[in-house]
Amino acid sequence: MISGKLFRDAVINAAICLESKKKQVDELNVYPVPDGDTGTNMSMTINAAKNELLLLGDEVTISKAADTAASAMLRGARGNSGVILSIVFRGFSKGFKELSKADCGHFANALELGADAAYKAVMKPSEGTILTVARVSAQAAQKVHNSTNELSLFWRAVCDAASDVLAKTPDMLPILKKSGVVDAGGQGLLIIFEAMLEIFNGGKVRDGSVQSDASVSVAAADEDADIRFTYCTECIITKSHDCKDPASLRAYLETIGDCVLVVDDEEIIKVHVHTNNPGKVLERALDYGFINLPKIENMKLQHDGKKKELMQKSARKSVERTKPEKKYGFVAVAAGHGVEALFKDLGADCIVSGGQTMNPSTEDILDAVYSTPAETVFILPNNKNIIMAAEQVVKFADRGVCVLQTRTIPQGISAMLAFDESADISDNKVAMTRAFEKVSTGLVTFAARDTEFDGKSIKKGEIIALDNNRLAFTDKDMNKVVLKLVKKLINSDTSFVTLIYGADVTDENAEKMQKLISQKLSDKIEVTLINGGQPVYYYIISVE
């Protein structure tokens, strides 16, 4: 039977292992654009569970351990890969519900629940991804649990199946084969499964379990974590008429402990010592007189209790939930002072800092929803890798939440411009969706890695043009890229072009770019320039 402690330690070990290997997983990403890398997102997601699991005692049931992990991962989920991982672990929570221990059959059913739910959560699931690895692993679990209930053999078979299908992912996704890599999300899941196997095989949790993100402040605040002597022992001795020299008592106490303090006057002796033998302290004290006010405290228990208290405080985020004062509110995900100010001007109540390379967690977005004083809150993710995390907020929120699937900043802006305060939520959702779907977005950024993508050889540092999130072309001259991309995006119906320039573009260069584009385009097209201050993207181009 699989205990809660065993499952707890397995997940903690998986988090530590993935943390050490996240860069290896990040490097498997074949898309050259800087992004919220898969390994980092998955690591941050499972580390949210580790921090909560470290607070559980050894007597925890497997139901409680699985619930704790699933809840923490869902709240801490970042990026699509992190959300999918949290859904897989929610399957464990459902499969182990109300169980104190589980067998391999329970484990197989739980994994199947998670894999099935993960497929349903993705609008257009693709084979050759983390979904495939989860599904094939679950199928293997269902087959093998009928032939063995030996946990290590059972989970070894699951890991073997995951490894085998991961190796085949390049045959399922041509882009992986061209780049000569396996799927990053699938690799992350395999690392997690194999780290769990280490515990199921009788191994110990790897170094790093105590120094969790939540307990860093504990370690910094309490340097006496390595307690050699357990008991803080104190007493006051009323001296006998023939009391010996207290210096001899000090000498003795120094042989059985540390932090020795012996102070006396004509009538009493005050004693303080850290020792593993408090009985010997009191027994020797009787040689000097009568004992008063003896006190013995277990410092290890005190330390653990204080550490747990600090960890709990660190793990919990105290967010004041605002009371609804209006019918509708908005939460937008954005980065850059100008972009954030633009959304604020359009009526956004709360901005979640994030975007490309900075995928906020479900809990980050939930906190923003709680800070919005509205009965119904519209969420604008403005990035395709944040949509799934935003959609999980619906499960937690204490008010109405509507997630609009905006994939770019221009789409989010267009959606807010289409909002009608007098309309109901359904009509607004339709109108705002129609509005942002009409917007064409161009993005100008840089290649984060050498790769071959869609038949093109791309070198790290080259300027990349994205046409509605699809790689269009590359060049070494940024201004040429911007002009060429604008021409590619416009059509006969275009009336407006908006250039939002980023933190790495000077005002002078941006103004020259605006003037150049205005000269090259029809007089009927208005070209607007906005200082967005955003990271990663030199230019965000909106065409309407």
Side-chain angles (χ1 to χ4, degrees):
M1 299 296 285
I2 308 157
S3 68
K5 177 183 181 301
L6 198 62
F7 183 81
R8 177 202 69 185
D9 290 351
V11 178
I12 291 172
N13 197 55
I16 294 167
C17 187
L18 185 57
E19 174 70 21
S20 68
K21 297 182 178 181
K22 65 184 180 183
K23 289 185 178 179
Q24 298 174 29
V25 178
D26 286 344
E27 289 170 359
L28 295 174
N29 286 325
V30 294
Y31 205 48
V33 175
D35 57 15
D37 285 322
T38 302
T40 298
N41 284 337
M42 293 180 74
S43 178
M44 294 178 77
T45 299
I46 196 169
N47 263 290
K50 182 191 77 171
N51 293 336
E52 297 281 348
L53 291 170
L54 283 167
L55 304 178
L56 301 180
D58 289 351
E59 300 304 316
V60 64
T61 65
I62 195 167
S63 176
K64 175 65 175 176
D67 281 345
T68 299
S71 177
M73 288 174 71
L74 183 57
R75 287 182 280 111
R78 295 174 186 267
N80 293 342
S81 56
V83 174
I84 291 171
L85 179 63
S86 75
I87 293 172
V88 170
F89 272 78
R90 198 191 310 160
F92 291 131
S93 175
K94 292 180 178 179
F96 297 154
K97 192 171 183 63
E98 298 182 357
L99 295 176
S100 58
K101 294 183 178 181
D103 59 23
C104 294
H106 294 129
F107 227 120
N109 291 334
L111 186 54
E112 186 173 53
L113 286 171
D116 289 347
Y119 265 88
K120 292 175 183 176
V122 178
M123 187 174 295
K124 295 180 180 179
S126 297
E127 295 300 337
T129 66
I130 184 176
L131 295 174
T132 305
V133 176
R135 174 178 58 79
V136 172
S137 299
Q139 291 171 345
Q142 286 292 354
K143 289 180 181 178
V144 76
H145 88 83
N146 291 317
S147 58
T148 181
N149 201 37
E150 175 61 42
L151 178 58
S152 60
L153 295 177
F154 164 77
W155 201 249
R156 176 71 269 171
V158 170
C159 290
D160 287 345
S163 179
D164 289 345
V165 74
L166 178 65
K168 297 174 183 175
T169 54
D171 296 325
M172 303 177 201
L173 283 178
I175 189 173
L176 298 177
K177 182 178 280 290
K178 286 182 180 179
S179 302
V181 297
V182 297
D183 177 67
Q187 180 68 71
L189 188 61
L190 177 61
I191 289 171
I192 288 170
F193 283 176
E194 290 186 334
M196 294 173 70
L197 179 63
E198 291 177 5
I199 303 302
F200 295 158
N201 277 337
K204 294 182 178 180
V205 175
R206 296 186 181 201
D207 290 343
S209 59
V210 176
Q211 194 76 352
S212 70
D213 294 340
S215 63
V216 170
S217 60
V218 180
D222 186 359
E223 296 180 358
D224 193 23
D226 183 16
I227 300 173
R228 293 176 55 223
F229 297 103
T230 302
Y231 300 100
C232 175
T233 307
E234 298 180 4
C235 68
I236 295 175
I237 305 170
T238 301
K239 290 183 176 179
S240 60
H241 69 279
D242 56 349
C243 180
K244 294 184 288 187
D245 185 355
S248 62
L249 177 58
R250 172 191 289 275
Y252 171 73
L253 295 179
E254 288 176 344
T255 67
I256 63 169
D258 63 6
C259 298
V260 175
L261 178 66
V262 176
V263 181
D264 71 303
D265 59 19
E266 287 95 359
E267 297 182 354
I268 66 169
I269 304 172
K270 171 69 175 178
V271 175
H272 174 279
V273 61
H274 293 172
T275 181
N276 288 325
N277 299 285
K280 290 183 177 181
V281 175
L282 299 180
E283 184 177 356
R284 182 58 64 98
L286 289 172
D287 292 342
Y288 295 78
F290 303 100
I291 297 175
N292 297 295
L293 303 175
K295 184 175 74 170
I296 302 171
E297 294 179 337
N298 188 315
M299 294 186 295
K300 285 186 177 179
L301 291 180
Q302 284 184 325
H303 176 265
D304 291 344
K306 184 65 175 176
K307 177 179 171 181
K308 183 173 181 179
E309 178 185 349
L310 290 173
M311 287 176 69
Q312 288 172 330
K313 286 181 180 179
S314 178
R316 290 193 302 265
K317 294 178 72 175
S318 178
V319 177
E320 183 179 350
R321 301 188 182 188
T322 57
K323 294 181 180 180
E325 299 172 356
K326 56 184 180 178
K327 192 171 182 179
Y328 298 119
F330 288 90
V331 168
V333 180
H337 60 85
V339 176
E340 292 179 10
L342 185 56
F343 275 104
K344 282 285 188 180
D345 291 344
L346 291 173
D349 298 270
C350 193
I351 305 295
V352 178
S353 181
Q356 204 73 0
T357 75
M358 301 182 298
N359 298 155
S361 68
T362 294
E363 189 166 33
D364 292 334
I365 302 172
L366 178 63
D367 289 345
V369 169
Y370 285 151
S371 299
T372 303
E375 295 174 6
T376 299
V377 179
F378 289 95
I379 300 176
L380 305 166
N382 301 329
N383 186 289
K384 65 179 181 179
N385 207 35
I386 298 173
I387 292 173
M388 285 189 72
E391 288 174 337
Q392 307 309 307
V393 170
V394 178
K395 301 178 176 67
F396 295 103
D398 62 354
R399 60 202 69 189
V401 171
C402 178
V403 179
L404 298 172
Q405 296 196 356
T406 53
R407 288 167 167 76
T408 65
I409 293 296
Q411 285 188 344
I413 293 170
S414 181
M416 291 201 69
L417 289 169
F419 172 71
D420 182 355
E421 192 171 356
S422 64
D424 64 23
I425 184 172
S426 179
D427 289 342
N428 263 314
K429 183 176 182 180
V430 171
M432 295 165 76
T433 300
R434 284 176 177 169
F436 78 69
E437 286 179 344
K438 292 179 181 178
V439 177
S440 289
T441 301
L443 302 171
V444 178
T445 184
F446 59 92
R449 54 184 68 87
D450 291 342
T451 187
E452 183 175 318
F453 187 84
D454 201 20
K456 301 180 180 71
S457 178
I458 300 172
K459 297 297 182 183
K460 182 178 179 180
E462 282 188 328
I463 307 300
I464 293 178
L466 300 176
D467 176 352
N468 291 297
N469 282 321
R470 294 186 299 272
L471 180 63
F473 54 86
T474 65
D475 203 305
K476 294 181 180 180
D477 187 315
M478 182 171 63
N479 290 346
K480 286 183 180 179
V481 170
V482 176
L483 182 58
K484 184 177 177 181
L485 182 57
V486 170
K487 288 182 175 180
K488 190 174 190 300
L489 290 168
I490 63 173
N491 56 43
S492 58
D493 296 326
T494 300
S495 299
F496 302 98
V497 172
T498 303
L499 301 176
I500 304 173
Y501 64 98
D504 295 322
V505 178
T506 65
D507 295 342
E508 182 182 9
N509 187 80
E511 289 166 3
K512 287 182 179 179
M513 199 71 249
Q514 179 191 21
K515 185 177 181 180
L516 178 62
I517 291 174
S518 297
Q519 292 172 348
K520 297 291 184 181
L521 301 185
S522 165
D523 293 340
K524 296 179 181 179
I525 299 177
E526 181 180 340
V527 181
T528 305
L529 185 66
I530 296 174
N531 183 352
Q534 71 273 5
V536 181
Y537 297 118
Y538 299 121
Y539 284 92
I540 299 173
I541 304 167
S542 174
V543 174
E544 299 180 72

